[in-house]
Amino acid sequence: MKKIFKGLAILAAATAIGAGVGLASGCSKGYNGEYEGEYHYPNAYSASAPHYGIKVRVTVKNNIITKVVDITKGEYVSVSNANPDHGWDKDSVANWTGNESWLLQKYEGLAVSDVLDIQVFIKDNGEPYNKDKNAGMGELIITNATQGSARLLLAVQDALGKTTEIGRIEKAE
């Protein structure tokens, strides 16, 4: 009788371990393929271009990002026009346009989970805070173009299934 109970106990333990492994592997999402995402928020400076934002296509193989492409095609303002009133000049515009390809390439080789774990801090209206408040973005920033860099990161995260709720900021009453 003792041998039967011992055998049943071993069988039960093996079954529990097998079920646990099966559940654990079923819980994690495997990323393979192309995913599209976007991030945008109202543009308070221009009625003709009502939203700042970016749309991307992210290619992933075995949970590693292999390519990120900007597919915005003018749907959103990805970089403001030069305007001395707002401190954005021709050099600032050139900084973004000249370095965007470099920033897109910085995502190549990164694990999906690592990119999803980066937190981007945004204002109530969806505008990303500056570099001092978004230091967690690490090297995924073009110097002096933090907002555009943050929009890109949020769009990549959206493509990978992470949603950012604009305006969902808790306030003390």
Side-chain angles (χ1 to χ4, degrees):
M1 192 70 148
K2 212 175 191 182
K3 287 184 180 182
I4 292 175
F5 283 120
K6 185 176 180 181
L8 287 174
I10 291 171
L11 180 61
T15 302
I17 290 171
V21 169
L23 286 174
S25 65
C27 289
S28 65
K29 180 178 179 179
Y31 289 88
N32 275 304
E34 289 186 346
Y35 306 90
E36 291 187 4
E38 62 187 281
Y39 183 77
H40 61 94
Y41 56 91
N43 176 356
Y45 305 109
S46 173
S48 63
H51 284 257
Y52 278 112
I54 191 167
K55 291 178 89 169
V56 295
R57 180 177 307 114
V58 180
T59 306
V60 180
K61 184 172 182 180
N62 296 323
N63 296 318
I64 301 296
I65 296 172
T66 60
K67 188 169 191 159
V68 178
V69 178
D70 180 348
I71 58 170
T72 308
K73 297 182 182 166
E75 189 170 336
Y76 303 119
V77 175
S78 58
V79 63
S80 296
N81 292 325
N83 183 342
D85 295 341
H86 295 63
W88 197 252
D89 58 19
K90 289 187 328 186
D91 291 337
S92 300
V93 173
N95 181 44
W96 174 261
T97 56
N99 289 300
E100 182 188 15
S101 296
W102 167 83
L103 183 58
L104 293 167
Q105 291 173 46
K106 293 287 283 183
Y107 286 86
E108 295 174 10
L110 297 179
V112 168
S113 60
D114 291 341
V115 172
L116 290 174
D117 285 343
I118 299 170
Q119 186 170 8
V120 177
F121 295 98
I122 60 172
K123 299 176 184 176
D124 287 352
N125 67 354
E127 178 183 336
Y129 283 104
N130 63 22
K131 183 179 179 178
D132 294 338
K133 295 181 180 173
N134 273 311
M137 291 175 57
E139 295 193 19
L140 296 176
I141 293 179
I142 295 172
T143 302
N144 298 323
T146 305
Q147 290 179 340
S149 302
R151 289 191 292 262
L152 173 59
L153 176 54
L154 290 165
V156 169
Q157 289 179 335
D158 180 62
L160 300 172
K162 182 177 181 180
T163 304
T164 301
E165 294 180 51
I166 295 174
R168 191 210 59 77
I169 297 176
E170 309 301 328
K171 297 188 180 190
E173 301 210 15

